[in-house]
Amino acid sequence: MSRKFVISGMLVALGCLCAAPSGARAQVSLGVGGGATFPVSDLSNADKTGYNILATLGFRIPEFPLGLRVDGMFNQMKSKFADVSNTQIWTVNADLQANLVTVPHAPVVPYMVAGIGYYNSRYRVSTSGTDFVGSGNAHANDFGLNGGLGVRFGLGSSSLFVEGRYHYVFTSGTHLQMIPITVGINFGG
């Protein structure tokens, strides 16, 4: 993915936020969550279902349906092969989050989330036999896209959320694809 595409996407997101009503005051939220990560396509041939841990920082204007969110996620999936360690995928994403209900202070708010990300994947390979003993690490840094749906449940100034996102990572050769389902809590915003 080219840098121009990434920078253009971030400028569009910033422009959407700037188009919000000028008298509105931005809200900031911090969130944490965790759940199951399901490998998809070729990744499911090598890995079993794993887990994820998520941390988010969100910015939004209350009466405006779009917000920005930056998140970091750790995913780990157990390998189906004895000589390969667990696959670990660290991500940092910049996302647009669109509320599908724009009623202020609604107790239940479904939303869409989509964005771009930087992905670091790694695993360890070791093998031994009568004539050969060896091991090594493999890792890659790549860009990717993600998109999904979620629901927020208001709890005063905090909210619980459940979301599922599809991640597509542009690796050389086979592309990584996974679907993390995450449950968590947002504080503020």
Side-chain angles (χ1 to χ4, degrees), residues 4-77:
K4 289 180 185 179
F5 178 74
V6 172
I7 292 170
S8 297
M10 295 178 108
L11 289 174
V12 168
L14 183 61
C16 288
L17 284 180
C18 292
S22 61
R25 187 169 181 189
Q27 294 179 337
V28 178
S29 66
L30 294 172
V32 294
T37 299
F38 301 94
V40 180
S41 193
D42 289 334
L43 190 58
S44 67
N45 295 333
D47 290 321
K48 301 175 186 176
T49 299
Y51 68 91
N52 70 73
I53 299 169
L54 173 71
T56 68
L57 175 63
F59 304 92
R60 65 180 210 85
I61 297 171
E63 281 73 34
F64 192 65
L66 289 179
L68 269 180
R69 186 172 101 177
V70 176
D71 61 54
M73 180 181 272
F74 172 77
N75 298 274
Q76 180 166 298
M77 293 162 280

Side-chain angles (χ1 to χ4, degrees), residues 33-189:
T37 299
F38 301 94
V40 180
S41 193
D42 289 334
L43 190 58
S44 67
N45 295 333
D47 290 321
K48 301 175 186 176
T49 299
Y51 68 91
N52 70 73
I53 299 169
L54 173 71
T56 68
L57 175 63
F59 304 92
R60 65 180 210 85
I61 297 171
E63 281 73 34
F64 192 65
L66 289 179
L68 269 180
R69 186 172 101 177
V70 176
D71 61 54
M73 180 181 272
F74 172 77
N75 298 274
Q76 180 166 298
M77 293 162 280
K78 181 139 179 77
S79 174
K80 293 181 178 179
F81 305 108
D83 293 342
V84 179
S85 68
N86 298 333
T87 299
Q88 297 179 345
I89 302 173
W90 295 82
T91 72
V92 176
N93 295 297
D95 300 312
L96 273 179
Q97 186 170 329
N99 292 337
L100 301 177
V101 172
T102 58
V103 177
H105 310 293
V108 177
V109 178
Y111 62 89
M112 292 186 308
V113 62
I116 58 174
Y118 179 76
Y119 296 77
N120 175 272
S121 57
R122 65 181 67 196
Y123 59 91
R124 180 171 175 73
V125 178
S126 62
T127 187
S128 62
T130 56
D131 296 330
F132 178 79
V133 175
S135 67
N137 293 318
H139 68 89
N141 297 311
D142 300 290
F143 285 99
L145 302 173
N146 74 85
L149 298 171
V151 178
R152 252 190 338 270
F153 304 93
L155 298 172
S157 63
S158 299
S159 62
L160 296 176
F161 68 90
V162 177
E163 70 178 31
R165 287 192 283 170
Y166 172 78
H167 290 259
Y168 186 91
V169 185
F170 298 101
T171 57
S172 59
T174 302
H175 301 298
L176 295 178
Q177 300 172 56
M178 61 184 177
I179 300 175
I181 307 292
T182 308
V183 176
I185 186 166
N186 282 319
F187 301 99

